[in-house]
Amino acid sequence: QGLANRVGSFGLQEGGTLPNSGPQGSVPRQDSSGSVVNKTVRVLYEYEASTETELDLKENDLVVVLKEDTSGWWQGELQGRIGWFPFNFVEVLNTVS
C-alpha cells in the first residue's frame, strides 16, 4: 500500500509525497526576530516508518519539530534520530525559542 494511501485517511492530501531530505517547501519556523522556533509535539497515533528518512512514532512519544513542510510532513528529532513524520499524527505541546 502506497504512502499516500496509508496516510490519506488521516488528512494528508491523496497523492501527496514525502519530502526529500531537503524539500523546497521546508524551512525552519522563525519568529519575528528571525530566530528558529522549535515545537515539542506529543504523538497521538502510532506510525511505522517505511523509509530511512521517516521516524517510527509510538503513542505519547515527544518529538522536537525542526522543519515544517507544505506537503503535511514535519521533520523532527526523537531520541537522537532525525526524520520525517505526518504532522497530523501529533499535537503541539509548546513553542520554545
Side-chain angles (χ1 to χ4, degrees):
Q1 189 176 33
L3 177 62
N5 291 334
R6 288 191 302 146
V7 296
S9 61
F10 289 96
L12 293 179
Q13 293 181 358
E14 291 297 327
T17 59
L18 177 67
N20 297 323
S21 58
Q24 288 193 340
S26 176
V27 293
R29 301 282 292 176
Q30 296 183 343
D31 64 16
S32 59
S33 69
S35 299
V36 173
V37 176
N38 289 327
K39 295 179 186 179
T40 300
V41 296
R42 180 184 316 277
V43 176
L44 299 174
Y45 312 106
E46 186 172 321
Y47 178 77
E48 185 177 335
S50 62
T51 70
E52 291 180 7
T53 61
E54 296 176 18
L55 289 177
D56 282 317
L57 303 177
K58 292 187 174 39
E59 191 174 341
N60 293 317
D61 280 347
L62 298 179
V63 182
V64 176
V65 177
L66 305 175
K67 295 180 185 177
E68 295 179 359
D69 189 77
T70 56
S71 68
W73 288 83
W74 288 357
Q75 185 181 52
E77 182 174 359
L78 173 64
Q79 300 173 350
R81 180 160 153 50
I82 294 175
W84 294 94
F85 61 94
F87 81 96
N88 52 356
F89 279 52
V90 301
E91 67 178 341
V92 176
L93 296 180
N94 63 25
T95 302
V96 180
S97 296

